Amino acid sequence: MNKLTHFDASGQAHMVNVGDKPNTHRIAVATGKITMLPETFKMVDAGTHKKGDVLGIARIAGIQASKRTSDLIPLCHPLALTHVSLEFQTNPSENSIYCQVRAETTGPTGVEMEALTAVQVALLTIYDMCKAVDRGMVMGDVKLLEKSGGKSGEWKSEK
């Protein structure tokens, strides 16, 4: 296992110096899901929520969050994202909505945190828009599916 990079030799937290790292095309894909009551799922899936297009608003929120990751996670570098896509897949048998985010940049550090942040905020936005009718929604299974670029190259989740 590699050492934790956000700590210096004396154990103090610090922002990793990426100044000497080469710019490479970097991609990260993350996913997560939210599960809700059947009635809530039907309302979101049909687009009949009185607040409007829940998934459309959650998509914009996730993209916006990806661009603000360094404001939320203390040791993340601000990145110039070159692409962020956010897709939802509904699963009526589980009353769940899966969110998948693909984030890309060309730079000296990866975009895993941006993809993961976008997933979380998109799911939180769904929760926020639907909490008046379903406070028991459950968000989970948030994880990195794959990443590419940089010195460590390709990585894919085994699950």
Side-chain angles (χ1 to χ4, degrees):
M1 176 162 256
N2 296 330
K3 66 182 182 87
L4 297 174
T5 58
H6 286 93
F7 295 96
D8 64 17
S10 63
Q12 299 298 311
H14 71 104
M15 191 173 196
V16 175
N17 184 352
V18 298
D20 293 333
K21 292 172 72 178
N23 286 341
T24 62
H25 184 225
R26 296 166 182 267
I27 300 169
V29 179
T31 190
K33 76 174 182 176
I34 186 167
T35 304
M36 56 198 65
L37 293 172
E39 299 78 26
T40 309
F41 176 84
K42 288 175 189 162
M43 183 175 49
V44 173
D45 195 34
T48 59
H49 193 292
K50 69 179 181 175
K51 290 186 178 180
D53 179 7
V54 172
L55 299 183
I57 294 167
R59 179 177 290 107
I60 297 300
I63 292 168
Q64 183 176 347
S66 70
K67 298 188 294 183
R68 301 296 303 265
T69 299
S70 66
D71 293 336
L72 301 169
I73 310 297
L75 301 177
C76 280
H77 293 83
L79 299 182
L81 295 168
T82 57
H83 179 75
V84 177
S85 63
L86 197 149
E87 300 300 327
F88 293 105
Q89 181 179 0
T90 57
N91 185 334
S93 67
E94 291 183 357
N95 298 307
S96 294
I97 301 168
Y98 289 83
C99 174
Q100 183 169 301
V101 173
R102 178 184 174 100
E104 297 185 41
T105 192
T106 298
T109 191
V111 290
E112 296 92 352
M113 294 306 297
E114 287 70 16
L116 288 163
T117 299
V119 167
Q120 295 277 19
V121 170
L123 296 177
L124 284 167
T125 299
I126 294 169
Y127 185 94
D128 180 52
M129 292 188 72
C130 297
K131 69 182 184 273
V133 296
D134 185 358
R135 293 195 188 274
M137 291 174 280
V138 176
M139 293 165 278
D141 297 333
V142 176
K143 64 181 180 178
L144 184 67
L145 292 180
E146 60 185 79
K147 61 82 61 188
S148 65
K151 185 171 81 171
S152 64
E154 306 282 326
W155 179 87
K156 290 192 181 205
S157 172
E158 294 179 11
K159 295 182 181 181

